[in-house]
Every structure is written in structure tokens, then in C-alpha cells.
Amino acid sequence: MITLTRARTGTGNGGIAARRAVFRWGWRLFGREWRQQLLVLGLLTVAVAAAVWGVGVVSNAALSNPNAPTFGAAAAMAKLPGNDPKLAADVATIQRTWGPADVIENQNIATGTNQSVQLRAESPRGHFNAPLLGLVSGAYPAGAGQVALTSQVAALYGARVGGTWLAAGMTWRVTGIVQDPSNLSDEFALVAPGQVRHPSQVVILLGPAAANLAGSDATLPGVPAAALTTPNEMVSAFPQAVLVLVVEVVGLAFIGLLSVASFSVMAQRRLRALGMLSAIGATERNLRLVMIADGLVVGVVGALTGTALGLAAWVAYAPTLQRATDHVVDPANLPWWAIAIGAVFAIVTSVLASRNPAKAMAAVPVVAALSGRPSPPKAVRRSALLGVIAFAVGVAILARYGGLSGLPGGGGGPGSARSLLAGLVGVIVGILLLAPLGVSVLIVAARPRLPVAIRIALRDLVRYRSRSGAALAAVTFAMFLAMAICLVGSERTDNPLSPSVPNLSSNQLVVTAGRSPAPGMMMQLTSAQEASLSRRLDSLAVSLHARSAVPLESAAGLLQAGTSLNNNFGGSVYVATPQLLALYGIKTSQIAPRTDVLTAWSGLAGLSNMELTWQGGGVMDGSGGNGGDATPCAGSGCLANPAIETISSLPSGTSAPDTLITEYAVRKYHMQTRLSGWLIQAPAPLTASQIRAARQVTLAYQAPLEIMSGAAEFGEVADIGTAVGIIIALGVLAASVGLIRSETAQDLRTLTATGASTGTRRTITAATAAALGLLGAVLGLAFAVVGSLVSTHGRLSALFGNVPVADMLLLLFGLPLLAAAGGWLLAGREPAVISRQPLE
């Protein structure tokens, strides 16, 4: 008996045969007890499936090359007007000098509707037009009199493959259905090269040689009729799939914390079997391997099942995404590396969750294991110290990257993605290690004056710390995220440089004074087109019961704090014309003399080292309007410390005229102004029919129309974050409290046998849930405040200037009350077996 009470030494491992036997036993245990692990298995499956689906969506929602709808794979584009007297010679010169080239001839044809259709002649086997042309069915046209139509044109004319189509003065035989893969709304009829008799325009796609010629004149040497354009510069950023992996890491953190509790309960249930296995010679390493093998099996099954479900969901959703994004979506176009990493994350989460319970159970002496009693709690000094270090490092990384406050910090690129992942992992690990210290505080709260049921609940939480610590960590992390949203959102809303507000109000619309024939491409309207569009918009304003379409003039001005481009003002900067000021009831007498800038943001006037830069020449006045410290403005077109006045009646939307350059500054610094667009402000929110009418007006000019984006305001974001945080925390509490109370089933039988009432049993469960909820909310608030203070560099006024008090109180006190109510309602059932202990 003395030998049995000694702790196992674990000096050997039994060799390969022992490990194989332990793995077989772990697999058999999973096959027999998989129902008890449905919670972990289901959560892992859902997390992996959601990650696979999300990776597919974010990887295909946007084109890999935003310039593909206009330029295809070309590096430059030359356009020739159809009335060029030397059209054929110019095309031949361009092909000979800057070839290889793809020639696309376009002729506008009437359809009897407001939709324009082009007769387009190009080779389907060009050098650069693969992203612009795809065959859906049938065949490409190969000779005279043959045509392939897009599905929209075929439906408009009732044409089909093998039939005929009458257009452009002749009858064509339809050979196939085609599409523009990068722009499915592009409606055209494809014919063989040379079949367009009277082209309206000729587009020539060119390689890198012509792109190097793009300059201020934007023409090709020797071909003055050719207008040369190049694609917009693509900003490098880390893959969007990384964002999904970040979200999956957060989700797997919750799952991992719940898995720790679940595996702890499974280990406790198997404790006697593990004791018997140890009694016949198994080492601690063998016993740990039993639980780790079980975790590995659960992780692999969850990862494979989740991947299969996620792929099936993605394939089913791909057609819907294609219709929503208006470009071809290939279901096989997936970042398989991200899917593989997501599956590995799930397996690692399950293995790591089973490791600590396995280590704890393997260290239990044989007699204690055979008795089935839990081991006493261990000291948490080391884990607390490591938790503080991990949390501090994680918050520091997030603050540098801008992950908590959203303020620019570390720049973009793959390095920022790695920093974001590292910061989240540090915060998660810190909360996980600090949670057991929080549980130990509950023993202090178990005062003799409290009712017996509450004292039992608090002491059980400390007694079963392996389960309650993991549950508290999950609740704390959920509260940390929800409260961080409230605190950081308050700072973002109060930030005058980057206000977190919608672009426009629901009764406003802005029309840009330009023509956008394709995404990412903007061309200037002619004077006649601007005048015509202005008259049409005035008529539209009358129909919307607005005063008129107010012209928005721009001096190409930019406000920034200091010389960093990361501190640009996030709103629009227009000129304070009399017509625009009259729209908001601002009189000239209200504006202080020598004011340079009017703004709706009260904090903007108080910022130091502000600069106003503009294009179009001018003189630099280093003294600035406000006086004070001069910033390093260099050259013309820069004003240090402009005089800024706050006008509360200006609108607050980032695309609305919320910040204006006064006419005094325009005259003094000789700024060049130009028409930027028109603003229509109706007396009531715009209806869907009114928005459609406005789009019909701007569609004829290809002028971009902007309305309220529908982005949620900070209050809505805070409410959503609060609701999601409470729901997640309640789910965690429900699962964790169930695991903890199931572990104390023997004690509950004893209490029931001694006469404990239903109310006592309900009080124990309610107190368990409420204690975890309250402690998690307090710790989450503490972590959120510390993290937010670091990210805002200790600026208390910025952090607490606009805090949603109702949401914070709901998180802090509403969660414990809801948890207690849920525990009271769902508990109280008398144990099925009271008189005897069931055999495990």
C-alpha cells in the first residue's frame, strides 16, 4: 500500500509497443465516449468551416488586379477616336513601334433602351485581353457575318446560339455566348477583327514599353491622336485571407479555453481507469499520451469535417458572390495555404487543450487516482507572472500596429499581419494565464456570513480551478473584446483627424464632376457636359424638394498634422462658396476675419503643427494664421498652422462638406479652384425610388453617385459588440457551468440526500454562473482599460470622452444578472441516483 501511495516516477516509456497500445486505447475511448465530446468537436467543426468559407469569400470578393476591368493584363492603353483621318495608319504605327498589342474596335449601337451596347471586334487569343473576354458556350466568331453575344444582349434581343441577330445594318449568325470575366455588367457583341465598319473608338492594349512613355502629355510620340493611359498604382497589402485567420485565431481561443474545461472533465472521469493503468506499470508519459491522443483524434476529426463542410458551403455560395461582385468567381480559386493553416490551428488547439489536463491527471498518485478525488489547487504565482508578461507584450505589439485603436502605427504589408497575429496571441495567452489567479480571489469572497449554497459554489470554483479557470479566461476574453470596442470606438469618434462617422446623411447625395467609364478610372467632363449635368441635377433637386444642386468647388487642399502622411484629415475639404454657406445658414459675419479653414470638428482647431497644402501654386506663409510653432512647410502650396474656426452647423459626414477653405484663403494664397461635384440635400431621407431616379440621371454621363454607405455609426457598433460579447459569454458560461456542476454531481447527491431543497440546488448553480460572469466582466474591463490606455498613450480625455455608459454598465452588471437568472432557471432537477455512486 505504501508503494501505491507514492507518486509515479515515469522513468521509462515502454517503447513503441506501449505507445501503440496507448494510441489504440485513446482511439477506442473516443469511439466509446464521442458523445461526451460533442461540444468541443462541434465547435472545432464550426470554426474550421467558417474559416474555410470566409477565406473563399474574402479571396474572391475583389479582383486580384483592380485594373483588370479596364486594362486587362496590359501595362498601358492607347485610345484613338473613330473619326481619326489616319486611323489605320496610326494603329499600324502603334503595333509596329510598341507591339505586341491587342486592337479592340468599338462601335456603339442603339438598343431602344437606356442601356448602351457595343459591337466589339477583337481577337479572342490576344496578348493582354484574357481578363476581358471569356467564352460561356458555343464558339468565338471566326469570320464575316458571325457574332457572339453576352447573355444580357442575347436576352434583350431574344437571340440564341445558332440563330440570327439583326444589328448595325446587317444580319449576323450567333455562334456563342461570351462575357467579360472582370465585369459581368459589360454588354457587348463580339465579332472577328476587321468586322466593325465604323468604329466609335479604337482601344489598343500595350505592354511595358509603352507604359514607360506615360508622361504629362499622355500621348504616344508620332501619334498625336492617341491618348495614353496607365493603370493606377496598386497599393501592396497583406492577403485578405490573413484577416480570416486572425478571426479564426480569436474563435479558436474561445474554443481552446472551453476545450480545456471539457478535457479536464473527461480526464477526471477517466481518473480511476488511469490509476488502474498506472498500477499495472504505465508511466506518466503513457498516461499523458492517452489524453493527448484523444485530443489529437478530436482535432483531426473536427478539422477534416469542418474543412469538408466549409468547402461545400463555399461552392454553394460562389454563384451568389459572383452576382454580388459582378465578376467571375472560380470556386477553385482558394488560398489553400490558408485553409491548411486553419486546419492545423484547429488540431493544435485541441492537442494543447488536452495537454494540461493530461499532465495534471498523470501526476496524480495511484491511490488518489483510484479514489477519484480531485487534486488540491496549485500555486499560481508563476502563471500570473508569465500572464502579465504575455499580456503586456501582446498589448504593446497591438498598440504599435494600431490593432486596438485603429490609428496608423506600423504600416501595412505582411509584417503588419504578423504583428497583428502575434499581438492577439500574446493577449490571449496572458488572459489564459492570469485567469486562475482571478479564480483564487473567490475563496476570499466566501465569507461565513454568506448563505451556505453561495459558499459552496464559490469554493467549488476554486476547488475545480482547472475547469473554472479556463471558463473564466473565455468569459474575460469575450468581455475584453466587447469593452475594447466601446473604449477604442470612443477614442475614434473623438479623433478630429479620423472621425468614425458615416460618409453622408440619409438625405444627402454627392455627384462627382467626372466620368468613370470603368472601376478605378476617372476622366474629366467637358464644359458642355458639366453644364448639361448641372441642369439635370437642378431638375432632380426640385423633384426631391431640395433647394438646388449646390456646386462643390475644390482647391485640391489637404489638411494634415505635421509632415506625416499618416495624419491626414479624413474628411472632405471644399471651398466655402457663398452658395454652400447659404445652404447651412452660415453668414459671412459669423466667420472671424483672416480665417483660413472652417470645420465641423471641434478638436481640429486645437491641434498643433497643422498644415494646409494645396495644388495650383501659391505662396507659403510660415507664420500661419494661428501663430505659434511653425511646421516645416517647404515650397509653395503649403501653409503652416492655418487659422481654423469651428462651425457647428456644418455637416459631419466624411464625404459631406464638413471642412471648408475660406474664399479669403483662396484669394490670399492664389489657389486654383475647380468644380469637384454637386451636393443635393433633401428635407427628408431619400427613398429607394428617388435614389434610382438619381442614378438614371448620372448614368447617362457615367458620373459617380455617392449616397449614405450604410456603415454603422459608433453607437450601433458598440451595441452590436455588447450584444455579441454577452451572447458569447453566456454561451461559455452555460457550457462551463454545466461541466463544473457535472463534476460535483457526487456532492450534489450528498446534499440532496441530506435534505437540500430545490432552491438550494438552484442557488448553487446561479451563484456559480454569476460569480464567473461578474469576475470575467471586471477582469475584461481592467484588461480593456489597460490596453486602450497603452494604445492612446495615456490620453484619458480621448479614451473616456465619448464612452457609451449604458453599454459598459450592461456588460459589467447585466452579464452577471443574466447568468444568475439562467443558472437559476435551468438548475434544480433532483439527481437521478441518490442512494449509491454509479460505476464509471
Side-chain angles (χ1 to χ4, degrees), residues 52-99:
V52 172
W53 179 85
V55 163
V57 171
V58 301
S59 300
N60 292 273
L63 292 170
S64 57
N65 179 12
N67 298 301
T70 304
F71 294 87
M77 179 198 315
K79 291 184 179 181
L80 292 167
N83 57 2
D84 180 12
K86 299 187 297 181
L87 181 60
D90 287 345
V91 170
T93 300
I94 294 173
Q95 287 180 303
R96 181 175 60 254
T97 308
W98 293 282

Side-chain angles (χ1 to χ4, degrees), residues 279-672:
I280 62 175
T283 64
E284 287 190 14
R285 191 170 184 178
N286 297 141
L287 298 180
R288 289 196 301 267
L289 195 57
V290 173
M291 294 300 301
I292 293 175
D294 192 17
L296 179 63
V297 171
V298 171
V300 170
V301 172
L304 294 179
T305 306
T307 301
L309 291 177
L311 289 175
W314 159 242
V315 171
Y317 181 73
T320 303
L321 181 65
Q322 178 170 294
R323 290 190 297 270
T325 57
D326 207 27
H327 64 77
V328 170
V329 173
D330 181 10
N333 181 30
L334 292 172
W336 297 103
W337 61 269
I339 294 176
I341 290 176
V344 171
F345 279 171
I347 297 174
V348 171
T349 298
S350 181
V351 172
L352 291 179
S354 65
R355 186 176 180 275
N356 283 339
K359 185 178 179 180
M361 292 300 105
V364 176
V366 176
V367 170
L370 292 175
S371 67
R373 302 299 298 176
S375 57
K378 298 180 180 179
V380 294
R381 294 178 182 176
R382 179 181 301 176
S383 64
L385 177 61
L386 293 177
V388 171
I389 295 174
F391 182 79
V393 171
V395 169
I397 295 174
L398 284 177
R400 179 174 178 80
Y401 168 70
L404 280 178
S405 64
L407 297 175
S416 296
R418 289 191 294 269
S419 299
L420 180 59
L421 281 170
L424 280 175
V425 170
V427 169
I428 293 170
V429 172
I431 292 176
L432 174 62
L433 294 178
L434 288 172
L437 180 63
V439 174
S440 63
V441 175
L442 295 176
I443 194 64
V444 181
R447 299 289 184 179
R449 295 181 179 180
L450 292 177
V452 174
I454 297 179
R455 294 206 307 270
I456 290 175
L458 296 180
R459 289 173 179 174
D460 279 347
L461 287 174
V462 180
R463 182 184 179 190
Y464 300 98
R465 186 178 301 164
S466 58
R467 269 76 78 200
S468 58
L472 178 61
V475 175
T476 301
F477 191 61
M479 292 296 97
F480 165 75
L481 291 179
M483 292 182 177
I485 290 174
C486 295
L487 292 176
V488 172
S490 167
E491 191 274 336
R492 284 300 306 273
T493 304
D494 201 47
N495 180 16
L497 284 179
S498 182
S500 180
V501 295
N503 59 329
L504 295 170
S505 61
S506 58
N507 65 329
Q508 294 174 329
L509 62 86
V510 171
V511 179
T512 303
R515 186 165 62 89
S516 180
M521 186 178 182
M522 183 64 68
M523 302 176 66
Q524 189 173 359
L525 293 173
T526 64
S527 299
Q529 288 174 327
E530 286 184 357
S532 175
L533 179 55
S534 179
R535 290 192 297 270
R536 295 283 303 275
L537 292 176
D538 283 336
S539 301
L540 175 66
V542 172
S543 67
L544 299 179
H545 306 289
R547 292 185 181 180
S548 62
V550 179
L552 297 175
E553 295 186 6
S554 172
L558 175 68
L559 275 173
Q560 63 186 55
T563 57
S564 173
L565 293 179
N566 287 329
N567 288 331
N568 292 343
F569 172 65
S572 301
V573 180
Y574 296 110
V575 176
T577 61
Q579 191 175 0
L580 184 57
L581 293 177
L583 176 65
Y584 294 104
I586 302 173
K587 299 180 180 180
T588 308
S589 58
Q590 296 178 241
I591 303 173
R594 302 181 182 278
T595 298
D596 300 312
V597 176
L598 305 176
T599 182
W601 307 106
S602 57
L604 200 62
L607 295 178
S608 60
N609 294 335
M610 290 295 294
E611 294 179 1
L612 173 63
T613 58
W614 62 91
Q615 297 177 2
V619 295
M620 185 269 289
D621 184 356
S623 63
N626 288 336
D629 299 332
T631 54
C633 276
S636 62
C638 180
L639 173 64
N641 295 315
I644 302 176
E645 181 179 349
T646 303
I647 303 292
S648 59
S649 56
L650 287 174
S652 59
T654 55
S655 294
D658 57 354
T659 300
L660 308 175
I661 300 175
T662 62
E663 291 191 318
Y664 160 78
V666 172
R667 292 191 303 268
K668 179 177 180 180
Y669 304 112
H670 310 289
M671 299 180 185
Q672 301 285 336

Side-chain angles (χ1 to χ4, degrees), residues 681-693:
Q681 182 163 313
L686 300 174
T687 63
S689 60
Q690 290 174 333
I691 294 175
R692 284 196 299 269

